Amino acid sequence: MDQYCPPLRPRSEGRAVAGSSGIIIGRVKKLSHGLQPIPERRLATEETGQEIRRLQLAVEAAITEIDQQRLHLRQLGSQDPLMVLDAHRMMIADPELTQQAISRINSECINAEWALRQQMDAIQQLFREFDNAYLRGREDDIEQVGQRILCQLMQRSHELPADLVPDSEEQQPLIFVGEDFNISDIVRMWRQGISGIVTEQGGVDAHNIIVARGIGLPALIGAAGILDEMEDGDLLILDAEQRQWILNPPQEEQTGYSRFIEAVTSNRRGLAAYAMQPSRSLNGREMRLMANIEFIEELDVADQIGIDGIGLFRSEFLFLNCKLPPDEEQQYRYYAAIIRRMAGKPVTMRLLDIGGDKPWLQQQDQHEHISYGGNNPSLGLRGIRLLLRCRQLLTTQLRAMLRAGEEGPLHILVPMVSNCDEMQQVRALAMQIRKELGLQSPLSIGTMIEVPAAVMIADDLAKVSDFFSIGTNDLIQYTLAVDRSDEGVADLYQPDHPAIQKLIYQTALAAKHADIPISVCGELAAHPDWTETFLNLDMHALSMSLHNILPVRRLLSRQVYTPLLPQR
């Protein structure tokens, strides 16, 4: 620890969200420049052709940059960063972004930067209007993809200044602190030896943070006000294991953290031993560890660690950024490919969980006189409420899923259920489709328990459900009346609140009485403080992000099953 300088200013500390795990002790470098202004110029008509060519060349250069970054990341063996880069490459080539920007150049006679910025703003506004919090978060991807092209147009530097790059292995680790960083920033930092990042903004599901996790760059996000707390050169402990930062710690605290870092590093090395192992408690009780996925490419990682199935396939990705919803054949091919890839392991697919604010929905149902209005999307027409209003959308998706279910074990999950009639309507439609198509596979339709009302009638829902899956993210939000993306009330989003514990217990008891399987697919599924509780509540499975599978499997292997529910 002798290489660390004495604290320059008084000690302080704060809490943040762990975007990517790890602990770093290093010196601070603040980057609070924000977005650069976009030049706005009116063009003569004869100049638009040259401006369009500028944009096309910038797009080509941005794609080349992504390809180069992909080459550097491929050596890691982690697919998450590669999938994010692939998604961004696809978005850059999407005509909705670049072709519409070209149309703006032609029609409005404006420069490429201005046209692209306008089109980015238009697409981002559409994403903001999504009911689903995950989908709303995709506006960040549009910003990052657009910024890649803008960087090329404005010829911004793609390398960090020399004074920001560690010049030797002996130099103290460098931690960048800023408002937020895009994917290009993250990759460049990693390549040039930056040890960790702290941001005032951002979310755990943002693609830049997914990349940080994939490349192993420790990150704290949502550290509001941290830029005002520190100066360049201050000593900082970035502790993503305990979700905190400590500024200018005294020498004895530095020494203690160094020992802690050694213990955590040693602990992580042991995770590889749990790849491909059974998911069981110390005394042999099985609790399947399954994956939440959106893309079939994610299964490359799953093959390396061993998963017990897919506990939540989010079908929303297929419907994103499209002028018309994918037809039955498009959906069938994608669903069937995933089921075949799982080679007999169970796959749970959630029906579409979006709101009714999409233009193609409104066009499709303009003769139905359906109102999609409302000032609170979370309490509006979303999930099964929307699908039952838009029968063709539901019918098409059910037909595609049920056909794909002939390829292997499929379970269909119904989101936002609040009464038994919703489940009965879905089941009746599914049975009708099976009969029409002459399908033979067993029908398995389950309720997603994410509305407190569903918990209150869980005994009745169990009679019309083949299984339960608890969506803890929404269950917590609706129970505590807290939007976890609202910084003003984020501290009230408390997964360990006694009310949440009682609701989960009550749901598990109802499933036990009805003898139906029950699982957890929200973030709580991977929370180490809940693993023992879920085991003892007889959960059949936990479904989580792939990077959480091995840590939870190891923790599960050390638990002793002690049932909390009445045993038959």
Side-chain angles (χ1 to χ4, degrees):
M1 296 301 299
D2 294 340
Q3 71 269 31
Y4 292 112
C5 301
L8 302 178
R9 298 188 304 121
R11 180 192 185 279
S12 62
E13 63 180 64
R15 305 288 295 177
V17 176
S20 177
S21 61
I23 307 172
I24 297 294
I25 305 175
R27 62 183 180 91
V28 168
K29 181 62 186 179
K30 295 169 63 173
L31 295 178
S32 54
H33 49 74
L35 296 177
Q36 294 186 17
I38 300 298
E40 299 179 1
R41 300 192 312 274
R42 294 288 178 181
L43 307 174
T45 304
E46 60 271 17
E47 295 178 299
T48 56
Q50 180 180 352
E51 202 65 14
I52 289 171
R53 183 56 182 159
R54 279 188 67 232
L55 178 58
Q56 292 171 334
L57 289 173
V59 168
E60 292 173 6
I63 290 174
T64 299
E65 179 191 41
I66 288 178
D67 291 341
Q68 291 172 346
Q69 291 177 351
R70 203 181 191 286
L71 286 173
H72 286 286
L73 294 178
R74 186 181 296 168
Q75 60 185 294
L76 296 177
S78 172
Q79 293 297 310
D80 287 355
L82 300 181
M83 286 186 295
V84 171
L85 290 178
D86 288 344
H88 279 202
R89 194 182 197 282
M90 181 175 64
M91 292 171 73
I92 287 177
D94 190 333
E96 191 69 23
L97 179 62
T98 56
Q99 292 303 317
Q100 290 299 319
I102 289 173
S103 296
R104 289 177 185 271
I105 294 173
N106 273 325
S107 63
E108 301 176 34
C109 290
I110 58 177
N111 63 303
E113 293 92 339
W114 193 2
L116 180 62
R117 181 72 260 178
Q118 285 189 12
Q119 187 58 24
M120 289 164 61
D121 292 342
I123 296 175
Q124 285 178 306
Q125 182 57 41
L126 289 176
F127 275 97
R128 289 188 198 105
E129 294 171 0
F130 275 92
D131 297 337
N132 185 286
Y134 175 81
L135 302 184
R136 287 200 305 271
R138 297 285 69 81
E139 71 172 280
D140 291 339
D141 292 323
I142 296 297
E143 183 65 38
Q144 294 185 25
V145 164
Q147 287 294 332
R148 282 183 180 272
I149 304 173
L150 287 171
C151 280
Q152 300 295 337
L153 283 169
M154 299 167 67
Q155 297 184 337
R156 295 178 190 161
S157 172
H158 287 268
E159 296 300 326
L160 296 172
D163 65 325
L164 298 184
V165 180
D167 55 22
S168 71
E169 294 183 1
E170 289 76 26
Q171 185 175 341
Q172 298 172 22
L174 196 59
I175 300 172
F176 275 10
V177 182
E179 295 170 357
D180 203 359
F181 303 116
N182 61 37
I183 290 176
S184 294
D185 292 335
I186 298 287
V187 174
R188 286 195 293 273
M189 290 173 189
W190 168 68
R191 287 177 57 194
Q192 296 180 27
I194 305 308
S195 298
I197 60 172
V198 182
T199 68
E200 292 192 326
Q201 303 170 8
V204 291
D205 292 325
H207 276 165
N208 59 337
I209 299 304
I210 291 175
V211 168
R213 280 198 293 269
I215 63 180
L217 186 69
L220 286 175
I221 58 178
I226 192 171
L227 285 169
D228 295 332
E229 290 277 342
M230 56 187 59
E231 298 294 341
D232 286 350
D234 278 353
L235 192 65
L236 180 69
I237 296 177
L238 184 168
D239 183 357
E241 303 299 317
Q242 300 182 97
R243 301 185 291 280
Q244 67 177 352
W245 54 267
I246 301 171
L247 186 65
N248 294 322
Q251 182 66 51
E252 57 271 21
E253 192 169 16
Q254 297 174 36
T255 303
Y257 252 97
S258 293
R259 296 194 183 108
F260 183 40
I261 291 171
E262 292 175 4
V264 169
T265 301
S266 175
N267 192 38
R268 281 228 178 86
R269 291 194 202 102
L271 282 178
Y274 293 86
M276 315 307 293
Q277 295 301 307
S279 306
R280 293 192 189 124
S281 70
L282 186 61
N283 54 342
R285 179 74 175 190
E286 181 183 51
M287 183 167 62
R288 293 180 175 180
L289 300 184
M290 310 176 87
N292 298 337
I293 72 162
E294 292 172 289
F295 312 104
I296 192 170
E297 292 82 2
E298 293 178 82
L299 297 179
D300 293 340
V301 178
D303 291 341
Q304 299 171 20
I305 63 177
I307 62 174
D308 301 317
I310 296 173
L312 178 65
F313 170 72
R314 303 183 183 97
S315 62
E316 291 79 29
F317 175 76
L318 290 175
F319 294 77
L320 283 181
N321 205 27
C322 59
K323 295 181 178 178
L324 291 173
D327 61 26
E328 178 183 330
E329 197 60 30
Q330 289 174 305
Q331 292 187 55
Y332 162 73
R333 288 198 297 268
Y334 200 82
Y335 302 153
I338 289 173
I339 293 172
R340 283 195 292 267
R341 178 70 181 272
M342 291 308 296
K345 292 181 179 179
V347 175
T348 298
M349 292 187 172
R350 184 176 67 189
L351 293 174
L352 187 62
D353 186 14
I354 60 173
D357 53 351
K358 311 305 165 284
W360 46 264
L361 272 174
Q362 297 181 13
Q363 293 168 10
Q364 178 176 317
D365 294 293
Q366 57 185 336
H367 302 300
E368 299 286 338
H369 304 291
I370 298 174
S371 173
Y372 296 105
N375 295 322
N376 193 335
S378 294
L379 302 179
L381 198 60
R382 56 167 287 200
I384 192 55
R385 302 171 179 180
L386 172 68
L387 294 175
L388 289 175
R389 301 279 189 98
C390 303
R391 286 282 180 156
Q392 187 56 51
L393 187 63
L394 175 60
T395 299
T396 299
Q397 188 170 39
L398 276 177
R399 285 176 63 92
M401 284 186 176
L402 291 170
R403 286 173 58 199
E406 298 290 290
E407 303 287 343
L410 170 69
H411 308 281
I412 297 175
L413 185 58
V414 184
M416 285 300 293
V417 173
S418 58
N419 62 67
C420 293
D421 181 62
E422 292 165 334
M423 290 300 298
Q424 290 170 323
Q425 289 189 63
V426 174
R427 184 175 295 277
L429 179 57
M431 292 178 69
Q432 175 187 329
I433 291 171
R434 287 179 77 246
K435 184 176 180 181
E436 290 173 356
L437 297 178
L439 304 176
Q440 302 299 317
S441 297
L443 184 62
S444 177
I445 299 180
T447 296
M448 194 164 188
I449 304 292
E450 51 192 335
V451 178
V455 180
M456 297 299 103
I457 60 168
D459 287 321
D460 295 325
L461 281 172
K463 297 173 184 175
V464 294
S465 305
D466 296 309
F467 65 96
F468 281 166
S469 181
I470 303 177
T472 57
N473 297 347
D474 271 336
L475 183 61
I476 296 169
Q477 174 173 264
Y478 288 131
T479 301
L480 302 181
V482 171
D483 181 353
R484 60 185 180 141
S485 64
D486 184 342
E487 294 180 2
V489 293
D491 61 316
L492 300 177
Y493 186 87
Q494 300 170 352
D496 57 349
H497 192 287
I500 305 303
Q501 298 174 9
K502 290 180 180 179
L503 291 175
I504 291 175
Y505 179 90
Q506 187 172 335
T507 305
L509 188 60
K512 187 80 170 181
H513 287 161
D515 196 24
I516 62 172
I518 180 171
S519 63
V520 179
C521 63
E523 287 187 11
L524 240 56
H527 199 297
D529 293 344
W530 279 83
T531 303
E532 182 180 12
T533 298
F534 289 144
L535 172 68
N536 294 335
L537 285 176
D538 292 328
M539 296 293 171
H540 289 72
L542 305 179
S543 191
M544 61 196 70
S545 298
L546 284 164
H547 68 273
N548 287 320
I549 296 283
L550 293 184
V552 174
R553 182 174 288 155
R554 177 173 62 184
L555 181 58
L556 175 62
S557 72
R558 298 170 179 175
Q559 305 299 323
V560 175
Y561 170 64
T562 308
L564 294 174
L565 299 177
Q567 302 297 299
R568 293 188 172 185

